[in-house]
Amino acid sequence: MIKVVIIGAGNVAGHLYQSFKKTEQINVIQVFNRNIDKIDFTDRSTRKSSNFDEIEDAALYILAVKDEAIPEVANNLTSKNGLVVHTSGSVTLDSLSKFENHGVFYPLQSFSKNKPVDFSGIPICIEANSEKNLGLLKEVASFLSKKVFEVNSDQRKALHLSAVFVNNFSNHLFTIAADYCREHDLPFEILQPLIRETVSKIDSLPPFSAQTGPALRNDQKTIDEHLSMLDGDRKKIYELITHSIQNLHGKKL
Amino acid sequence: MIKVVIIGAGNVAGHLYQSFKKTEQINVIQVFNRNIDKIDFTDRSTRKSSNFDEIEDAALYILAVKDEAIPEVANNLTSKNGLVVHTSGSVTLDSLSKFENHGVFYPLQSFSKNKPVDFSGIPICIEANSEKNLGLLKEVASFLSKKVFEVNSDQRKALHLSAVFVNNFSNHLFTIAADYCREHDLPFEILQPLIRETVSKIDSLPPFSAQTGPALRNDQKTIDEHLSMLDGDRKKIYELITHSIQNLHGKKL
């Protein structure tokens, strides 16, 4: 069994722990967190610690902490023979270069505390400072997921940025629509089937080809009517995305 | 059986026809379209016509045509005793007021030509000029869908506008991300599980509460780095939506 130490007690740490426990090949021997009380997801077979000096020998140390905490944890972690990786989408591989063996183990997903996670469909993006270390990460990742991608630091940044568009920004559009519906005494559930279909469509069609709507049709009458119904940020967003759709699809206003 | 005539040969007309055929209570006796060759979805039990004078007597006439064609079709349709409805999200009920019995039958979904549709989960928004007509629409709609909503013309416009945000605009964000990934030699499929999770989350959580990301966290370092990686419309969209998230969640830049 591959011995793993997880550092951190947030959503990523918790979900990784639960998922590793289900494999036969990984043994999470220890979970470390500055505040030991926050480690609320381990069972008795796993030791907990809040003292950097107590961190045990393992083949793999996973720093599942916030981006801004990575340098501090790296500073406090005394030199390890095992492979030390972080789980961030936007922090470079080099940030862990003080360790002889270092890498990145980035699961591309938005984790919520109380929602169980099935890692098997979650892309895991790996990067390491040597072929040997990359091999170990590939092995560990493949115990969790069928979708393991070798991704360099630039690509990982591009992915993280793309994730902001598809996850954070889409969700904000959903929020605007939910608010707008509520203001008109309409339940948000009335929009949910359409949202599901929007996403289901791009399983079989590239999003460029799936585009529909007044902007694409150059339907200025509807666009003008919609703009007259909006103000503030909502109006600016409607104008800008309409403009962007028309630019991209070659139909200038 | 309730006799229905469908006017139009587009996606909505075709999908409505297929779904009505599966019910035992609705008989689509005729499909009308100016260009008869475009009616490619009917079976032998349904007559086809391209001549307004040939339109048969029915309890319900469904104008499943483009918004801009509704006035013309209404002009050409000689006065009918049956209920005449359109299927548009943005055209008022009044546009059919020349008919004694008129209404709206608006399925809130994005239909694609070759993708089969399960109407049972699709919200159908109905409106009519009398309780009796509303009753007929409610009956017909309930044969297709479990989600029938009485929605007035203003609410329907609000829904249509909301649909542009959740469907057209989200899809454009997906397109931007897909393009950006391709430019960095990353397959779009790597983002699909995240997109699915974004949508699955709002089944259990209002989108306002599901919001995450650098904008919400006020993580200016990541925001600045992302902006430095973008230009043109993409950069403007990143700036505006980030700003809008911060405005809405009360964390001004």
Side-chain angles (χ1 to χ4, degrees), chain A residues 108-110 112 115 121 123 155 157 160-161 163 167-168 170-172 174 180 184 190 192-194 196-203 207 211-214 225-226 233 244-245 247, chain B residues 108-110 112 115 121 123 155 157 160-161 163 167-168 170-172 174 177 180 184 190 192-194 196-203 207 211-214 225-226 233 244-245 247:
Chain A
L108 183 62
Q109 189 53 284
S110 164
S112 315
K115 207 174 167 212
Q155 288 177 311
K157 273 185 194 171
H160 186 245
L161 173 55
N167 177 285
N168 308 156
S170 301
N171 187 74
H172 185 57
F174 301 158
Y180 197 77
H184 292 82
I190 202 171
Q192 282 178 323
L194 178 62
R196 271 183 231 118
E197 174 65 15
T198 306
V199 167
S200 146
K201 225 184 221 183
I202 59 170
D203 279 344
Q211 189 65 50
T212 58
E225 191 173 358
H226 283 171
D233 286 342
S244 177
I245 290 171
N247 277 344
Chain B
L108 183 62
Q109 189 53 284
S110 165
S112 314
K115 207 172 168 216
Q155 287 177 311
K157 272 186 195 172
H160 187 246
L161 173 55
N167 177 286
N168 307 157
S170 301
N171 186 73
H172 185 58
F174 301 157
Y180 197 76
H184 292 82
I190 202 170
Q192 282 178 322
L194 178 62
R196 271 183 232 117
E197 174 64 16
T198 305
V199 167
S200 146
K201 225 183 219 182
I202 60 170
D203 279 344
Q211 190 65 51
T212 58
E225 189 173 357
H226 283 171
D233 286 343
S244 177
I245 291 171
N247 275 345

Coordinates of all heavy atoms in Angstrom, one line a residue, chain A residues 108-110 112 115 121 123 155 157 160-161 163 167-168 170-172 174 180 184 190 192-194 196-203 207 211-214 225-226 233 244-245 247, chain B residues 108-110 112 115 121 123 155 157 160-161 163 167-168 170-172 174 177 180 184 190 192-194 196-203 207 211-214 225-226 233 244-245 247:
Chain A
L108 N -10.0 18.8 -10.9 CA -10.7 19.9 -11.5 C -12.2 19.7 -11.2 O -13.0 19.1 -12.0 CB -10.5 19.9 -13.0 CG -11.2 21.1 -13.7 CD1 -10.6 22.4 -13.2 CD2 -11.0 21.0 -15.2
Q109 N -12.6 20.2 -10.0 CA -14.0 20.1 -9.6 C -14.2 21.1 -8.5 O -13.3 21.6 -7.9 CB -14.3 18.7 -9.1 CG -15.7 18.4 -8.8 CD -16.6 18.7 -10.0 OE1 -16.9 19.8 -10.3 NE2 -17.1 17.6 -10.7
S110 N -15.5 21.5 -8.4 CA -15.9 22.4 -7.3 C -16.5 21.6 -6.2 O -17.5 20.9 -6.4 CB -17.0 23.3 -7.9 OG -17.6 24.0 -6.9
S112 N -18.1 20.7 -2.5 CA -19.0 21.3 -1.4 C -18.8 20.4 -0.2 O -18.7 19.2 -0.4 CB -20.4 21.4 -1.8 OG -20.6 21.9 -3.1
K115 N -21.6 17.5 0.2 CA -22.1 16.8 -1.0 C -21.1 15.7 -1.3 O -19.9 16.0 -1.6 CB -22.3 17.7 -2.2 CG -23.3 17.2 -3.1 CD -23.5 18.2 -4.2 CE -24.3 17.5 -5.3 NZ -24.1 18.0 -6.6
G121 N -15.3 10.2 -12.0 CA -15.5 11.0 -13.2 C -14.8 12.4 -13.2 O -15.0 13.2 -14.1
P123 N -11.7 14.9 -13.5 CA -10.4 14.9 -14.1 C -9.4 15.3 -13.0 O -9.6 16.2 -12.2 CB -10.5 16.1 -15.1 CG -12.0 16.3 -15.3 CD -12.7 15.9 -14.0
Q155 N -0.8 25.2 -18.7 CA -2.1 24.7 -19.1 C -3.0 24.6 -17.8 O -4.2 24.9 -18.0 CB -1.9 23.2 -19.6 CG -1.3 23.2 -21.0 CD -1.0 21.7 -21.4 OE1 -0.5 20.9 -20.6 NE2 -1.5 21.4 -22.6
K157 N -3.0 26.7 -15.4 CA -3.5 28.0 -15.2 C -4.7 28.3 -16.2 O -5.7 29.0 -15.8 CB -2.4 29.1 -15.4 CG -1.7 29.3 -14.1 CD -0.7 30.5 -14.3 CE 0.3 30.4 -13.1 NZ 1.4 31.3 -13.3
H160 N -7.7 26.6 -15.0 CA -8.3 27.3 -13.8 C -9.1 28.5 -14.2 O -10.2 28.7 -13.8 CB -7.2 27.6 -12.8 CG -7.7 28.2 -11.5 ND1 -7.4 29.5 -11.1 CD2 -8.4 27.6 -10.5 CE1 -8.0 29.7 -10.0 NE2 -8.6 28.6 -9.6
L161 N -8.5 29.2 -15.2 CA -9.2 30.4 -15.7 C -10.5 29.9 -16.4 O -11.6 30.5 -16.3 CB -8.3 31.1 -16.7 CG -8.9 32.3 -17.5 CD1 -9.6 33.3 -16.6 CD2 -7.8 33.0 -18.3
A163 N -12.2 27.3 -15.8 CA -13.2 26.9 -14.8 C -13.9 28.0 -14.2 O -15.1 27.9 -13.8 CB -12.4 26.1 -13.7
N167 N -17.8 27.7 -14.4 CA -18.4 27.4 -13.1 C -18.9 28.7 -12.4 O -20.1 29.0 -12.3 CB -17.4 26.6 -12.2 CG -18.0 26.4 -10.8 OD1 -18.0 27.2 -10.0 ND2 -18.4 25.1 -10.6
N168 N -17.9 29.6 -12.0 CA -18.3 30.7 -11.2 C -19.2 31.7 -12.0 O -20.2 32.2 -11.5 CB -17.0 31.5 -10.8 CG -16.0 30.7 -10.1 OD1 -14.8 31.1 -10.1 ND2 -16.4 29.6 -9.5
S170 N -21.0 31.2 -14.9 CA -22.3 30.6 -15.3 C -23.2 30.7 -14.0 O -24.4 31.0 -14.2 CB -22.2 29.1 -15.6 OG -21.4 29.0 -16.7
N171 N -22.6 30.3 -12.9 CA -23.5 30.3 -11.7 C -24.0 31.7 -11.4 O -25.1 31.9 -10.9 CB -22.7 29.8 -10.5 CG -23.5 29.6 -9.3 OD1 -24.4 28.7 -9.2 ND2 -23.4 30.6 -8.3
H172 N -23.2 32.7 -11.7 CA -23.7 34.1 -11.5 C -24.8 34.4 -12.4 O -25.8 35.1 -12.1 CB -22.5 35.1 -11.7 CG -22.9 36.5 -11.3 ND1 -23.4 36.9 -10.1 CD2 -22.9 37.7 -12.1 CE1 -23.7 38.2 -10.1 NE2 -23.4 38.7 -11.3
F174 N -26.9 32.3 -13.5 CA -28.1 31.6 -12.9 C -28.7 32.4 -11.7 O -29.9 32.5 -11.6 CB -27.7 30.2 -12.4 CG -27.1 29.3 -13.4 CD1 -26.3 28.2 -13.0 CD2 -27.4 29.4 -14.8 CE1 -25.8 27.3 -14.0 CE2 -26.8 28.6 -15.7 CZ -26.0 27.5 -15.3
Y180 N -34.2 37.6 -11.0 CA -35.1 38.2 -11.9 C -36.5 37.5 -11.9 O -37.6 38.1 -11.9 CB -34.5 38.2 -13.3 CG -35.2 39.2 -14.3 CD1 -35.0 40.6 -14.2 CD2 -36.1 38.7 -15.2 CE1 -35.6 41.4 -15.0 CE2 -36.8 39.6 -16.1 CZ -36.5 41.0 -16.0 OH -37.2 41.8 -16.8
H184 N -40.4 38.6 -10.4 CA -41.7 38.5 -11.2 C -42.5 37.4 -10.8 O -43.3 36.9 -11.5 CB -41.3 38.4 -12.7 CG -40.7 39.6 -13.3 ND1 -39.4 39.9 -13.2 CD2 -41.3 40.7 -14.0 CE1 -39.1 41.1 -13.8 NE2 -40.2 41.5 -14.3
I190 N -38.7 26.7 -12.5 CA -39.3 26.7 -13.9 C -38.1 26.8 -14.9 O -38.2 26.4 -16.1 CB -40.3 27.9 -14.0 CG1 -41.2 27.7 -15.2 CG2 -39.6 29.2 -14.1 CD1 -42.4 28.8 -15.2
Q192 N -35.0 25.4 -14.3 CA -34.0 24.3 -14.2 C -33.9 23.3 -15.3 O -32.9 22.9 -15.7 CB -34.2 23.6 -12.8 CG -33.6 24.5 -11.7 CD -33.8 24.0 -10.3 OE1 -34.8 23.4 -10.0 NE2 -32.8 24.2 -9.5
P193 N -35.1 22.9 -15.9 CA -35.0 21.9 -17.0 C -34.2 22.5 -18.2 O -33.4 21.9 -18.8 CB -36.4 21.7 -17.4 CG -37.2 21.9 -16.1 CD -36.5 23.1 -15.5
L194 N -34.4 23.8 -18.4 CA -33.7 24.5 -19.5 C -32.2 24.5 -19.2 O -31.3 24.3 -20.1 CB -34.2 25.9 -19.7 CG -33.5 26.8 -20.8 CD1 -33.7 26.1 -22.1 CD2 -34.0 28.2 -20.8
R196 N -30.5 22.4 -17.4 CA -30.0 21.0 -17.6 C -29.8 20.7 -19.0 O -28.9 20.1 -19.4 CB -31.0 20.0 -16.9 CG -30.7 19.7 -15.5 CD -31.6 18.7 -14.9 NE -32.2 19.2 -13.6 CZ -33.5 19.4 -13.4 NH1 -34.4 19.1 -14.3 NH2 -33.8 19.9 -12.2
E197 N -30.8 21.1 -19.9 CA -30.7 20.9 -21.3 C -29.5 21.6 -21.9 O -28.8 21.1 -22.8 CB -32.0 21.3 -22.0 CG -32.0 21.2 -23.5 CD -31.8 19.8 -24.0 OE1 -32.0 18.8 -23.3 OE2 -31.5 19.6 -25.2
T198 N -29.3 22.8 -21.4 CA -28.1 23.6 -21.9 C -26.8 22.9 -21.8 O -26.0 22.8 -22.6 CB -28.0 25.0 -21.1 OG1 -29.3 25.6 -21.2 CG2 -26.9 25.9 -21.6
V199 N -26.7 22.2 -20.6 CA -25.5 21.4 -20.3 C -25.5 20.1 -21.0 O -24.5 19.6 -21.6 CB -25.4 21.2 -18.8 CG1 -24.3 20.2 -18.5 CG2 -25.0 22.6 -18.2
S200 N -26.7 19.5 -21.1 CA -26.7 18.2 -21.7 C -26.4 18.2 -23.2 O -25.8 17.4 -23.8 CB -28.1 17.6 -21.5 OG -28.6 16.8 -22.5
K201 N -26.8 19.4 -23.8 CA -26.6 19.6 -25.2 C -25.1 19.5 -25.6 O -24.7 19.0 -26.6 CB -27.1 20.9 -25.7 CG -27.9 21.0 -26.9 CD -28.3 22.4 -27.3 CE -29.7 22.4 -27.8 NZ -30.1 23.8 -28.2
I202 N -24.2 20.1 -24.7 CA -22.8 20.1 -25.1 C -22.1 18.8 -24.8 O -20.9 18.7 -25.0 CB -22.1 21.3 -24.4 CG1 -22.2 21.2 -22.9 CG2 -22.6 22.6 -24.9 CD1 -21.3 22.2 -22.2
D203 N -22.8 17.8 -24.4 CA -22.2 16.4 -24.4 C -22.1 15.9 -25.8 O -21.2 15.1 -26.1 CB -23.1 15.5 -23.6 CG -22.9 15.6 -22.1 OD1 -21.9 16.2 -21.7 OD2 -23.8 15.1 -21.3
P207 N -19.9 23.7 -27.8 CA -20.8 24.8 -27.4 C -20.9 25.8 -28.5 O -22.0 26.5 -28.7 CB -20.1 25.4 -26.2 CG -18.8 24.6 -26.0 CD -18.9 23.4 -26.8
Q211 N -24.9 27.2 -29.8 CA -25.4 28.5 -29.6 C -26.7 28.8 -30.2 O -26.9 28.5 -31.4 CB -24.3 29.5 -30.0 CG -24.6 31.0 -29.6 CD -24.5 31.1 -28.1 OE1 -23.6 30.7 -27.4 NE2 -25.6 31.7 -27.5
T212 N -27.6 29.4 -29.5 CA -28.9 29.8 -30.1 C -29.2 31.2 -29.4 O -28.4 31.7 -28.6 CB -30.1 28.9 -29.7 OG1 -30.2 28.8 -28.3 CG2 -29.9 27.5 -30.3
G213 N -30.4 31.8 -29.8 CA -30.8 33.0 -29.1 C -30.8 34.2 -30.0 O -30.3 34.2 -31.1
P214 N -31.4 35.3 -29.4 CA -31.5 36.6 -30.2 C -30.2 37.1 -30.6 O -30.1 37.7 -31.7 CB -32.2 37.5 -29.2 CG -32.5 36.8 -27.9 CD -32.0 35.4 -28.1
E225 N -35.8 45.0 -26.7 CA -36.9 44.9 -25.7 C -36.3 44.3 -24.4 O -36.6 44.8 -23.3 CB -37.9 43.9 -26.2 CG -39.1 43.9 -25.3 CD -40.3 43.1 -25.8 OE1 -40.2 42.5 -27.0 OE2 -41.3 43.0 -25.1
H226 N -35.4 43.4 -24.5 CA -34.7 42.8 -23.3 C -33.9 43.9 -22.6 O -34.0 44.1 -21.4 CB -33.8 41.6 -23.6 CG -34.6 40.4 -23.9 ND1 -34.0 39.2 -24.4 CD2 -35.9 40.1 -23.7 CE1 -35.0 38.3 -24.5 NE2 -36.1 38.8 -24.1
D233 N -25.8 46.3 -13.5 CA -24.9 45.3 -14.0 C -25.6 44.3 -15.0 O -25.0 43.8 -15.9 CB -24.4 44.5 -12.8 CG -23.3 45.3 -12.0 OD1 -22.8 46.3 -12.6 OD2 -23.1 44.9 -10.9
S244 N -20.4 40.1 -27.6 CA -19.4 39.1 -27.8 C -19.9 37.9 -28.6 O -19.1 37.3 -29.4 CB -19.0 38.6 -26.4 OG -18.0 37.6 -26.4
I245 N -21.1 37.4 -28.4 CA -21.7 36.4 -29.3 C -21.6 36.8 -30.7 O -21.2 36.0 -31.6 CB -23.1 36.0 -28.8 CG1 -23.1 35.3 -27.5 CG2 -23.8 35.1 -29.9 CD1 -24.5 35.1 -26.9
N247 N -19.8 39.1 -32.2 CA -18.4 39.2 -32.7 C -17.9 37.8 -33.0 O -17.3 37.6 -34.1 CB -17.5 39.8 -31.6 CG -17.5 41.3 -31.6 OD1 -17.9 41.9 -32.6 ND2 -17.0 41.9 -30.5
Chain B
L108 N -41.0 26.0 -22.2 CA -39.7 26.7 -21.9 C -38.6 25.7 -22.0 O -38.2 25.0 -21.1 CB -39.8 27.2 -20.5 CG -38.5 28.0 -20.0 CD1 -38.3 29.2 -20.9 CD2 -38.6 28.4 -18.6
Q109 N -38.1 25.5 -23.3 CA -37.0 24.6 -23.5 C -36.3 25.1 -24.8 O -36.9 25.8 -25.6 CB -37.5 23.2 -23.6 CG -36.4 22.1 -23.7 CD -35.4 22.2 -22.5 OE1 -34.6 23.0 -22.5 NE2 -35.6 21.3 -21.5
S110 N -35.0 24.6 -24.9 CA -34.3 24.9 -26.2 C -34.3 23.6 -27.0 O -33.8 22.6 -26.6 CB -32.9 25.3 -25.8 OG -32.0 25.2 -26.9
S112 N -33.6 21.1 -30.2 CA -32.7 20.8 -31.3 C -33.4 19.9 -32.2 O -34.1 19.0 -31.8 CB -31.4 20.2 -30.8 OG -30.9 20.9 -29.7
K115 N -32.5 15.9 -31.7 CA -32.5 15.4 -30.3 C -33.9 15.1 -29.8 O -34.7 16.0 -29.7 CB -31.8 16.4 -29.4 CG -31.1 15.7 -28.3 CD -30.2 16.7 -27.5 CE -29.8 16.0 -26.2 NZ -29.7 16.8 -25.0
G121 N -40.8 16.6 -18.4 CA -40.1 17.4 -17.5 C -40.0 18.9 -18.0 O -39.4 19.7 -17.3
P123 N -41.3 22.6 -18.6 CA -42.4 23.5 -18.1 C -43.1 24.0 -19.3 O -42.6 24.5 -20.3 CB -41.6 24.6 -17.4 CG -40.2 24.1 -17.2 CD -40.0 23.1 -18.2
Q155 N -44.9 38.1 -17.2 CA -44.0 37.0 -16.6 C -43.4 36.2 -17.7 O -42.2 35.8 -17.5 CB -44.9 36.1 -15.7 CG -45.4 36.7 -14.4 CD -46.3 35.8 -13.6 OE1 -47.2 35.3 -14.2 NE2 -46.0 35.6 -12.3
K157 N -42.5 37.2 -20.6 CA -41.3 38.0 -21.1 C -40.1 37.9 -20.1 O -39.0 37.8 -20.5 CB -41.7 39.5 -21.3 CG -42.3 39.7 -22.6 CD -42.6 41.2 -22.8 CE -43.5 41.4 -24.0 NZ -44.0 42.7 -24.2
H160 N -38.6 34.6 -20.6 CA -37.8 34.5 -21.8 C -36.5 35.2 -21.7 O -35.4 34.7 -22.1 CB -38.6 35.2 -23.0 CG -38.0 35.0 -24.3 ND1 -37.5 36.1 -25.0 CD2 -37.8 33.9 -25.0 CE1 -37.0 35.6 -26.2 NE2 -37.2 34.3 -26.2
L161 N -36.5 36.4 -21.0 CA -35.2 37.1 -20.7 C -34.3 36.2 -19.8 O -33.1 36.1 -20.1 CB -35.5 38.4 -20.1 CG -34.4 39.3 -19.6 CD1 -33.4 39.5 -20.7 CD2 -34.9 40.6 -19.0
A163 N -34.3 33.1 -19.6 CA -33.8 31.9 -20.4 C -32.6 32.3 -21.2 O -31.7 31.5 -21.5 CB -34.9 31.4 -21.3
N167 N -29.4 30.1 -20.6 CA -29.1 29.2 -21.8 C -28.1 29.8 -22.7 O -27.0 29.4 -22.8 CB -30.5 28.8 -22.5 CG -30.3 28.0 -23.7 OD1 -29.8 28.4 -24.8 ND2 -30.6 26.7 -23.6
N168 N -28.5 30.9 -23.4 CA -27.7 31.5 -24.5 C -26.4 32.0 -23.9 O -25.3 31.8 -24.4 CB -28.4 32.6 -25.2 CG -29.7 32.3 -25.7 OD1 -30.5 33.2 -25.9 ND2 -30.0 31.0 -26.0
S170 N -24.9 31.4 -20.8 CA -24.0 30.4 -20.3 C -23.3 29.6 -21.4 O -22.1 29.3 -21.3 CB -24.8 29.3 -19.5 OG -25.5 29.9 -18.5
N171 N -24.1 29.3 -22.4 CA -23.5 28.6 -23.5 C -22.3 29.4 -24.1 O -21.3 28.8 -24.6 CB -24.5 28.2 -24.6 CG -23.9 27.3 -25.6 OD1 -23.7 26.1 -25.4 ND2 -23.6 27.9 -26.8
H172 N -22.4 30.7 -24.2 CA -21.3 31.5 -24.7 C -20.1 31.4 -23.8 O -19.0 31.4 -24.3 CB -21.8 32.9 -24.9 CG -20.8 33.8 -25.6 ND1 -20.2 33.5 -26.8 CD2 -20.1 34.9 -25.1 CE1 -19.3 34.4 -27.1 NE2 -19.2 35.3 -26.1
F174 N -19.4 28.8 -22.0 CA -18.8 27.5 -22.3 C -17.9 27.6 -23.6 O -16.9 27.0 -23.7 CB -19.9 26.4 -22.5 CG -20.8 26.3 -21.3 CD1 -22.0 25.7 -21.4 CD2 -20.4 26.6 -20.0 CE1 -22.9 25.5 -20.3 CE2 -21.2 26.5 -18.9 CZ -22.5 25.9 -19.1
A177 N -14.6 29.2 -22.9 CA -13.7 28.3 -22.2 C -13.2 27.2 -23.2 O -12.1 26.8 -23.1 CB -14.5 27.7 -21.0
Y180 N -10.6 28.7 -25.3 CA -9.4 29.0 -24.5 C -8.6 27.7 -24.3 O -7.4 27.6 -24.3 CB -9.8 29.7 -23.2 CG -8.6 30.3 -22.5 CD1 -8.1 31.6 -23.0 CD2 -8.1 29.8 -21.4 CE1 -7.1 32.2 -22.4 CE2 -7.0 30.4 -20.8 CZ -6.5 31.6 -21.2 OH -5.4 32.2 -20.6
H184 N -4.8 26.2 -25.7 CA -3.7 25.7 -24.8 C -3.6 24.1 -24.8 O -3.1 23.5 -23.9 CB -4.0 26.1 -23.3 CG -3.8 27.6 -23.1 ND1 -4.8 28.5 -23.5 CD2 -2.8 28.3 -22.7 CE1 -4.4 29.7 -23.2 NE2 -3.1 29.7 -22.8
I190 N -12.3 17.9 -20.5 CA -11.7 18.0 -19.2 C -12.6 19.0 -18.3 O -12.6 18.9 -17.1 CB -10.2 18.5 -19.3 CG1 -9.4 18.2 -18.1 CG2 -10.1 20.0 -19.6 CD1 -7.9 18.5 -18.3
Q192 N -16.0 19.3 -18.8 CA -17.4 18.9 -18.7 C -17.9 18.4 -17.4 O -19.0 18.7 -16.9 CB -17.7 17.9 -19.8 CG -17.8 18.6 -21.2 CD -18.1 17.7 -22.3 OE1 -17.5 16.6 -22.4 NE2 -18.9 18.1 -23.3
P193 N -17.1 17.6 -16.6 CA -17.6 17.2 -15.3 C -17.8 18.4 -14.4 O -18.8 18.4 -13.6 CB -16.4 16.3 -14.7 CG -15.7 15.8 -15.9 CD -15.8 16.9 -17.0
L194 N -17.0 19.4 -14.5 CA -17.2 20.6 -13.7 C -18.5 21.4 -14.1 O -19.2 21.9 -13.2 CB -16.0 21.6 -13.8 CG -16.1 22.9 -13.1 CD1 -16.1 22.7 -11.6 CD2 -14.9 23.8 -13.4
R196 N -21.1 20.0 -15.4 CA -22.2 19.2 -14.9 C -22.4 19.4 -13.4 O -23.6 19.5 -12.9 CB -22.0 17.7 -15.1 CG -22.5 17.2 -16.5 CD -22.3 15.7 -16.7 NE -21.7 15.5 -18.0 CZ -20.5 15.0 -18.2 NH1 -19.8 14.5 -17.2 NH2 -20.0 14.9 -19.4
E197 N -21.3 19.5 -12.6 CA -21.4 19.7 -11.2 C -22.0 21.1 -10.9 O -22.8 21.3 -10.0 CB -20.1 19.6 -10.5 CG -20.0 19.9 -9.1 CD -20.9 19.0 -8.2 OE1 -21.3 17.9 -8.7 OE2 -21.2 19.4 -7.0
T198 N -21.6 22.1 -11.7 CA -22.2 23.5 -11.5 C -23.7 23.5 -11.6 O -24.4 24.1 -10.8 CB -21.6 24.4 -12.7 OG1 -20.2 24.3 -12.7 CG2 -22.0 25.8 -12.5
V199 N -24.2 22.7 -12.5 CA -25.7 22.6 -12.7 C -26.3 21.7 -11.6 O -27.4 22.0 -11.1 CB -26.0 22.1 -14.1 CG1 -27.4 21.7 -14.2 CG2 -25.6 23.2 -15.1
S200 N -25.6 20.6 -11.3 CA -26.2 19.7 -10.4 C -26.3 20.3 -9.0 O -27.2 20.1 -8.2 CB -25.3 18.4 -10.3 OG -25.2 17.9 -9.1
K201 N -25.3 21.2 -8.7 CA -25.3 21.9 -7.4 C -26.6 22.7 -7.1 O -27.1 22.7 -6.0 CB -24.1 22.8 -7.3 CG -23.4 22.8 -6.0 CD -22.3 23.8 -6.0 CE -21.0 23.2 -5.4 NZ -19.9 24.2 -5.4
I202 N -27.1 23.3 -8.2 CA -28.3 24.2 -8.0 C -29.6 23.4 -7.9 O -30.6 24.0 -7.8 CB -28.3 25.4 -9.0 CG1 -28.4 24.9 -10.4 CG2 -27.1 26.3 -8.8 CD1 -28.7 26.0 -11.4
D203 N -29.5 22.1 -8.0 CA -30.7 21.3 -7.7 C -31.0 21.4 -6.2 O -32.1 21.2 -5.8 CB -30.5 19.9 -8.1 CG -30.7 19.7 -9.6 OD1 -31.3 20.6 -10.2 OD2 -30.3 18.6 -10.1
P207 N -28.7 29.3 -6.5 CA -27.4 29.7 -7.1 C -26.6 30.8 -6.3 O -25.4 30.8 -6.3 CB -27.8 30.2 -8.5 CG -29.3 30.2 -8.6 CD -29.8 29.4 -7.5
Q211 N -22.5 30.1 -5.1 CA -21.4 30.9 -5.7 C -20.0 30.6 -5.0 O -20.0 30.6 -3.8 CB -21.7 32.4 -5.6 CG -20.8 33.3 -6.4 CD -20.9 33.0 -7.9 OE1 -21.9 33.0 -8.5 NE2 -19.7 32.8 -8.6
T212 N -19.0 30.4 -5.8 CA -17.6 30.3 -5.3 C -16.7 31.1 -6.3 O -17.2 31.7 -7.2 CB -17.2 28.8 -5.3 OG1 -17.3 28.3 -6.6 CG2 -18.0 27.9 -4.4
G213 N -15.4 31.0 -6.0 CA -14.5 31.6 -6.9 C -13.7 32.8 -6.5 O -14.1 33.4 -5.4
P214 N -12.7 33.3 -7.2 CA -11.9 34.4 -6.9 C -12.7 35.7 -6.7 O -12.4 36.5 -5.7 CB -10.9 34.6 -8.0 CG -11.2 33.5 -9.0 CD -12.3 32.6 -8.5
E225 N -4.1 38.1 -12.1 CA -3.4 37.2 -12.9 C -4.3 36.7 -14.1 O -3.8 36.7 -15.2 CB -3.0 36.0 -12.1 CG -2.0 35.1 -12.9 CD -1.4 34.0 -12.1 OE1 -1.7 33.9 -10.9 OE2 -0.7 33.2 -12.7
H226 N -5.6 36.4 -13.8 CA -6.5 36.0 -14.9 C -6.6 37.1 -15.9 O -6.6 36.8 -17.1 CB -7.8 35.6 -14.3 CG -7.8 34.2 -13.6 ND1 -8.8 33.7 -12.9 CD2 -6.9 33.2 -13.6 CE1 -8.5 32.5 -12.5 NE2 -7.4 32.2 -12.9
D233 N -13.0 40.8 -25.8 CA -14.3 40.6 -25.2 C -14.1 39.7 -24.0 O -14.9 39.9 -23.0 CB -15.3 39.9 -26.2 CG -15.8 40.9 -27.2 OD1 -15.7 42.1 -27.0 OD2 -16.3 40.4 -28.2
S244 N -19.7 42.3 -11.0 CA -21.2 42.1 -10.7 C -21.3 41.1 -9.6 O -22.2 41.3 -8.7 CB -21.9 41.6 -12.0 OG -23.2 41.3 -11.8
I245 N -20.5 40.1 -9.5 CA -20.5 39.1 -8.4 C -20.2 39.9 -7.1 O -20.9 39.7 -6.1 CB -19.5 38.0 -8.6 CG1 -19.9 37.0 -9.8 CG2 -19.3 37.1 -7.3 CD1 -18.9 36.0 -10.2
N247 N -20.5 43.1 -6.5 CA -21.6 44.0 -6.2 C -22.7 43.3 -5.5 O -23.2 43.7 -4.5 CB -22.1 44.7 -7.4 CG -21.3 45.9 -7.8 OD1 -20.5 46.4 -7.0 ND2 -21.5 46.4 -9.0

